[in-house]
Structure formats: structure tokens, C-alpha cells
Amino acid sequence: MTSANRPPTAREIATAALGRDPGPLEAVHSLSHRVYVGGDVVVKLTDRHTRLDHEIALSPQLPHGITAPLLASGRRDGVRYACYERVPGASPGAHLPHTDAATARTLAVQAVERLDRLHAWTPGPGAAELLRQPFTSGAFTGREALREEIDRLRAADRDGVVSRRILTGLIAIADRAPEHAGTDVPVHADCFWDNWLADGDTVTALLDFEWARFGEPADDWFFLIRFSGPHAALVLDVVAEATGTPADVLRADCEVREASHVVADVRLSLENDPEAGVGTIAGLEELIIGRYWWRDSKA
């Protein structure tokens, strides 16, 4: 197979983007792409889905300094690729596993500031069109949509693995939910800590805008708080103080968003592989029985 009719390699992409040899490239873990990191460049390759197209089209239009600069992108022989400038730092990791409380607070303050800049951004017509594209990502869109998703979960649960107590709790969350979710603020919609870079205690970039859309700021606050592990209560306080949102209002906003995501995940698992679906019930139990969003509250 000649170079003209075979998928490009990460090294070929990086060489073309930089105009020189990129040096060593290291493959790093990713759930949805093949990702290679060098000293000056990051290359993403995918042949599984089209979400990278969304990120590629949106990246050059984002506010300056929010994310890593896009150097090159394209498609060849069924492979979509994107090449980004390497930004200093590393991911703090989902649930901040190696971060002390003081550093977690410092990172959270900076993450909130960066998200505030994203939320305040007024996209041009091209970016606005991209952000209006619908996604089936389990996002909270309103009370009735959540009720319908709970009904679909009940229908998918042929073996009755979801307890009545959990269903009753989910219905109660839906009953308290806002009738409609806003759709006029640009949100990242996947900003858990794996998608951030930090150089020591300095946030350097927010990555992976594949799910970015119009929504409400709470769509991002949920991910930031929920995936802060032992520092979740601390990060919730940072968000509440920075946004002027009462803590219990923020808890309720996050709870309904977690319900939407987890219900959709469990329902899809039960529909596609009932045995595997049983393993996803723990998230529902933590949300409803463990009262995740209220266990540190006086409410």
C-alpha cells in the first residue's frame, strides 16, 4: 500500500504540521481516539465516530487561550486526524487522585475562571451553528425529557435490577427539576478533570471540545464538581462562591444533571447487554440511596 492510499501515521501528520521531524511520539490512553504526544505536538486519530469533526471545526473559533491551538486537521482513507500544539502540563486526572486540598482549590478557582470566559463568549454565526447541533449525550434538557428517560429505563429493565426505591428517587428528582433547561450559553459539557491540563498548580488548557454545545453553566459545574473525588465539597464551595449561587441550589442543579447522565447510561447498558448493565447500577445507588449531592449538606 502506498502512502497515497493508506491511513496517515501520527508521525507523518506531525511532521507535515510542524515542517520538521517531531521527535519521539508517545501513545497515551484515550477511550475514543488514538492519541500521540510529542515534545511540541499532540496528534489525535479516529475512525470510530464524527465527534472529532465538531471539535476541529469549533477550535479555531473559541476564545483565545481557552484550549490548545489547532495546527492541522484532515481526513484520509477513513481516518480523521487533528494535530494540536503541545501545551505545558498534564491532566490532574479524574477525581484528582494525586492532588492535595490546597492545590485542588487553586486549580478549581482557575478552572471556574476559564469556564466563565467560555460561558461569557458570544459565538459568531459559524460557531453558533456548531453549538446548536443536537447530541445524544444524556444531557439534561428538561423535566419531561428526564421523566421519559426514566420510563425508558424501566422498560429496559426486564429483570428488575433497578429497585423500586431507586425509581422512586429518580422520579422525585425529575418532579423537582426545572421544566426546561436553558440553551443560550456555550458550555464544554465534558469538563471533568481528565480534560484539563495543569502545570503544577497552574491550569494551562481545557481540552476535548467534542461535546461542546449551548446549555447552562450548571452543565459544566456538574462535571467539574462531580469528578473532583475527595475534594468535591471543596470544589462545590469554590463554584458557589465564584458564581454567587447558593450551595443547595448548586447541589440540586448538579443532582438533576447526574440523574440524566446516569439514567441514560444504565438504560443503554441494559438495552445492549443486560448482564453488563447490572454493573452500572452502582451509580444510581450512590446518587439515590447514598444521596451523593446531599450527604455533606444540612438539607
Side-chain angles (χ1 to χ4, degrees):
M1 183 180 290
T2 66
S3 61
N5 58 10
R6 64 164 170 77
T9 67
R11 176 165 298 281
E12 289 169 344
I13 292 167
T15 299
L18 296 173
R20 57 174 172 78
D21 187 285
L25 295 177
E26 179 184 0
V28 298
H29 174 71
S30 173
L31 294 175
S32 56
H33 304 91
R34 299 190 299 280
V35 180
Y36 302 86
V37 177
D40 302 307
V41 69
V42 176
V43 180
K44 289 170 126 180
L45 306 173
T46 186
D47 54 9
R48 296 175 52 192
H49 53 70
T50 61
R51 293 198 308 272
L52 186 56
D53 292 334
H54 182 80
E55 176 178 290
I56 288 168
L58 190 61
S59 289
Q61 305 181 66
L62 291 168
H64 177 73
I66 290 282
T67 193
L70 179 68
L71 300 176
S73 64
R75 182 192 301 274
R76 198 169 86 196
D77 294 321
V79 172
R80 189 62 159 128
Y81 60 84
C83 184
Y84 294 90
E85 182 180 316
R86 173 79 183 272
V87 176
S91 165
H95 306 291
L96 299 177
H98 308 296
T99 305
D100 60 37
T103 303
R105 178 178 291 278
T106 299
L107 293 177
V109 168
Q110 295 173 69
V112 169
E113 184 276 332
R114 195 165 292 232
L115 287 168
D116 273 340
R117 287 167 54 203
L118 176 64
H119 299 161
W121 172 46
T122 301
E129 183 178 355
L130 290 166
L131 294 168
R132 279 193 291 266
Q133 293 178 0
F135 287 109
T136 56
S137 61
F140 173 69
T141 59
R143 184 188 305 149
E144 284 307 312
L146 179 54
R147 285 172 174 164
E148 290 170 3
E149 188 62 52
I150 294 169
D151 287 341
R152 286 193 286 270
L153 170 64
R154 198 197 315 259
D157 184 22
R158 298 181 181 88
D159 296 326
V161 297
V162 181
S163 71
R164 181 178 296 275
R165 181 179 177 185
I166 288 177
L167 289 170
T168 299
L170 289 171
I171 292 168
I173 291 173
D175 288 344
R176 296 191 298 267
E179 184 176 359
H180 300 291
T183 56
D184 55 358
V185 173
V187 298
H188 183 278
D190 195 27
C191 57
F192 70 120
W193 287 102
D194 262 355
N195 284 335
W196 293 87
L197 291 181
D199 190 6
D201 62 358
T202 301
V203 168
T204 55
L206 174 56
L207 307 177
D208 294 337
F209 277 77
E210 295 182 7
W211 295 103
R213 57 179 175 80
F214 279 125
E216 294 183 341
D219 296 325
D220 283 338
W221 305 142
F222 158 68
F223 280 101
L224 196 67
I225 297 166
R226 183 62 177 87
F227 294 95
S228 289
H231 307 300
L234 180 156
V235 175
L236 186 144
D237 287 343
V238 168
V239 174
E241 181 178 354
T243 62
T245 306
D248 284 352
V249 172
L250 186 55
R251 291 176 191 275
D253 286 343
C254 291
E255 181 182 53
V256 73
R257 281 158 177 82
E258 179 161 10
S260 295
H261 283 285
V262 177
V263 168
D265 287 347
V266 175
R267 189 262 300 170
L268 287 168
S269 294
L270 290 172
E271 287 177 346
N272 296 323
D273 186 350
E275 290 187 8
V278 173
T280 66
I281 302 301
L284 286 175
E285 292 175 341
E286 186 176 25
L287 175 65
I288 302 299
I289 299 173
R291 299 189 76 240
Y292 178 85
W293 290 99
W294 304 99
R295 60 190 181 187
D296 297 320
S297 169
K298 296 178 181 180

